[in-house]
Amino acid sequence: MTGPAEPTGPCRVDMSFQMRYVGSEFKMPLREEIQYAANARITRILHLDDPVTKDFRTDRLNILLGEDGKINALTCG
């Protein structure tokens, strides 16, 4: 028996996807669920003041967290 296929990209995030997760308290097990649902090969978790690279990667999901530890936004790139 095999598990679900590994996400390969490109990352896909639309408004309904955002509505499902934005406002949720972020916990590490949720990272994998969101990554698979977005078909993102890699994920990075960002806080408000985190420095970020400006390279755009179509296979990367960004999870942006607020000070309260809740998901503020999900973006690709």
Side-chain angles (χ1 to χ4, degrees), residues 47-49 65-70 72:
H47 297 87
L48 291 174
D49 295 327
L65 302 180
E67 290 179 11
D68 58 1
K70 292 185 178 179
N72 279 352

Side-chain angles (χ1 to χ4, degrees), residues 12-77:
R12 292 185 303 263
V13 172
D14 61 17
M15 188 56 81
S16 65
F17 186 83
Q18 291 248 13
M19 289 174 60
R20 185 170 32 181
Y21 294 105
V22 170
S24 300
E25 184 177 342
F26 180 76
K27 297 192 183 223
M28 286 308 286
L30 190 56
R31 175 186 180 160
E32 187 173 303
E33 176 185 330
I34 296 170
Q35 180 176 344
Y36 274 83
N39 192 44
R41 197 172 62 77
I42 56 175
T43 302
R44 65 180 173 180
I45 300 164
L46 303 168
H47 297 87
L48 291 174
D49 295 327
D50 285 349
V52 295
T53 60
K54 295 198 181 226
D55 63 321
F56 184 82
R57 298 200 45 181
T58 59
D59 62 345
R60 179 172 58 203
L61 172 68
N62 299 304
I63 301 175
L64 295 92
L65 302 180
E67 290 179 11
D68 58 1
K70 292 185 178 179
I71 298 172
N72 279 352
L74 301 166
T75 62
C76 296

